[in-house]
């Protein structure tokens, strides 16, 4: 079974307008048996997107249309490929109840979902860790060091895994080393091996999955999967289920990084 469990769509404001049907057709050409559209869910009620372009996720008014479109593709292509209706849910510290309420309402409509950390809470403000090298550089100044950003990221990831987000909480943790997106320009002084292995143990205890994400291989300041191979080896020892995700934001990104990934 060849699956891509992490695909975006024209509903992503920081993606492209490539049609969803074109994603499906290309996935079929590439030999995929199953795909999940996991668009960025609307951010929690009351949370203000702190990115300069305010384009981190789809708007709530678009959600209904998105779900309808994926459901239609699911039916239209059921004889050729399994299409899942999904969302990538942001875990944002301090907005757990709002996220739980959202999942209680929309979780029953989903076949698949991912829980990801993109924003870190720093006092009363929030920073997006993967927006740009310039913003990451500003975070270094605000946090005091690169290592402090990494530390906060892994602490937040732990909170996301432990959080009570209700019965429809996603069971797959998205790109767990996304913090390394700019590591070739801003290298950490630590491996954070203990923190990462502790997180894997927690993922195992919760019986969750990992998004084995190929997008980092195409990022010039990353050039590795999220998470990298040394983390994957430990995940395999723990028998944690791994689900390949291209994290495609345009059709041509389907299958990206898959040649670096050691799963069927």
């Amino acid at each position: 079974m060849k699956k891509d469990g992490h695909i975006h769509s024209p509903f992503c404001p920081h993606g492209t307008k490539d049609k969803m049907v074109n994603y499906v057709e290309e996935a079929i050409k590439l030999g995929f048996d199953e795909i999940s559209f996991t668009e960025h869910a609307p951010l929690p009620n009351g949370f203000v997107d702190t990115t300069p372009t305010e384009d981190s996720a789809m708007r709530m008014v678009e959600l209904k249309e998105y779900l309808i479109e994926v459901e239609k593709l699911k039916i239209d292509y059921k004889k050729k490929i399994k299409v899942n209706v999904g969302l990538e849910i942001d875990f944002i510290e301090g907005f757990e109840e709002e996220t739980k309420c959202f999942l209680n309402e929309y979780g029953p409509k989903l076949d698949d979902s991912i829980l990801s950390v993109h924003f870190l809470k720093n006092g009363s403000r929030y920073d997006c860790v993967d927006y740009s090298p310039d913003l990451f550089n500003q975070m270094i100044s605000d946090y005091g060091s690169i290592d402090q950003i990494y530390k906060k990221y892994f602490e937040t990831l732990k909170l996301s895994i432990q959080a009570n987000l209700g019965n429809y909480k996603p069971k797959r943790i998205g790109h767990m080393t996304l913090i390394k997106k700019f590591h070739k320009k801003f290298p950490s002084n630590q491996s954070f091996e203990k923190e990462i292995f502790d997180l894997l143990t927690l993922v195992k205890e919760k019986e969750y999955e990992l998004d084995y994400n190929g997008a980092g291989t195409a990022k010039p300041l990353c050039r590795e999967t999220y998470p990298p191979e040394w983390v994957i080896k430990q995940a395999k020892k723990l028998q944690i289920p791994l689900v390949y995700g291209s994290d495609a934001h345009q059709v041509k990104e389907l299958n990206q990084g898959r040649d670096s990934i050691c799963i069927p």
Side-chain angles (χ1 to χ4, degrees):
M1 177 69 72
K2 186 177 179 182
K3 176 180 178 179
D4 187 336
H6 192 155
I7 297 174
H8 291 277
S9 75
F11 286 85
C12 179
H14 59 264
T16 66
K17 294 304 177 184
D18 289 355
K19 294 179 180 179
M20 296 176 84
V21 67
N22 292 344
Y23 282 91
V24 179
E25 291 284 357
E26 182 64 15
I28 292 170
K29 288 179 185 177
L30 290 168
F32 283 96
D33 303 292
E34 180 177 352
I35 60 171
S36 294
F37 282 103
T38 52
E39 194 48 78
H40 293 284
L43 295 170
N45 187 35
F47 179 79
V48 177
D49 189 349
T50 60
T51 62
T53 44
E54 299 181 8
D55 63 352
S56 296
M58 81 168 96
R59 296 174 300 158
M60 184 62 76
V61 294
E62 299 171 309
L63 181 56
K64 182 178 179 181
E65 183 183 355
Y66 165 75
L67 295 173
I68 289 171
E69 285 206 23
V70 184
E71 282 289 352
K72 185 176 185 305
L73 290 169
K74 182 177 175 180
I75 294 168
D76 290 348
Y77 283 88
K78 64 181 181 181
K79 293 183 179 180
K80 294 183 178 180
I81 189 171
K82 187 176 190 296
V83 176
N84 295 314
V85 180
L87 288 171
E88 182 176 10
I89 307 294
D90 265 279
F91 174 83
I92 301 178
E93 183 182 356
F95 286 84
E96 291 86 349
E97 283 304 312
E98 291 84 351
T99 302
K100 183 177 180 179
C101 287
F102 175 86
L103 286 167
N104 284 342
E105 181 173 357
Y106 291 99
K109 305 176 189 296
L110 305 178
D111 303 313
D112 200 3
S113 58
I114 299 170
L115 188 66
S116 299
V117 171
H118 297 96
F119 292 92
L120 300 185
K121 188 175 189 295
N122 184 17
S124 61
R125 62 172 290 172
Y126 291 86
D127 299 295
C128 183
V129 300
D130 66 323
Y131 183 81
S132 71
D134 286 344
L135 280 191
F136 194 87
N137 191 37
Q138 181 59 51
M139 287 180 67
I140 296 170
S141 177
D142 294 340
Y143 280 73
S145 70
I146 296 170
D147 287 355
Q148 284 300 113
I149 300 174
Y150 273 60
K151 183 172 182 287
K152 179 63 178 181
Y153 176 80
F154 289 122
E155 287 173 354
T156 306
L157 204 59
K158 183 177 182 180
L159 289 177
S160 77
I161 298 167
Q162 295 175 322
N164 176 9
L165 300 179
N167 293 333
Y168 297 100
K169 178 183 179 180
K171 300 300 188 289
R172 184 153 75 254
I173 303 303
H175 41 55
M176 70 173 289
T177 56
L178 180 66
I179 195 64
K180 297 187 71 179
K181 183 175 180 178
F182 310 118
H183 76 106
K184 287 188 175 295
K185 184 171 184 178
F186 303 111
S188 172
N189 294 314
Q190 302 179 44
S191 69
F192 289 92
E193 181 176 303
K194 182 183 184 304
E195 288 83 353
I196 290 171
F197 283 6
D198 286 348
L199 287 169
L200 291 178
T201 299
L202 191 55
V203 168
K204 175 64 176 179
E205 289 173 358
K206 294 284 187 178
E207 298 184 340
Y208 289 173
E209 304 171 330
L210 283 185
D211 172 36
Y212 196 173
N213 193 299
T217 63
K219 307 302 181 186
L221 297 180
C222 185
R223 298 302 187 191
E224 65 181 31
T225 55
Y226 308 127
E229 185 60 25
W230 65 270
V231 180
I232 290 298
K233 287 180 179 178
Q234 181 65 15
K236 286 181 176 179
K237 286 181 182 178
L238 294 173
Q239 297 184 313
I240 294 171
L242 304 169
V243 180
Y244 165 72
S246 65
D247 207 344
H249 285 70
Q250 50 189 317
V251 171
K252 69 181 182 181
E253 292 175 346
L254 287 171
N255 217 46
Q256 67 181 345
R258 205 169 189 281
D259 58 350
S260 305
I261 284 176
C262 303
I263 56 175

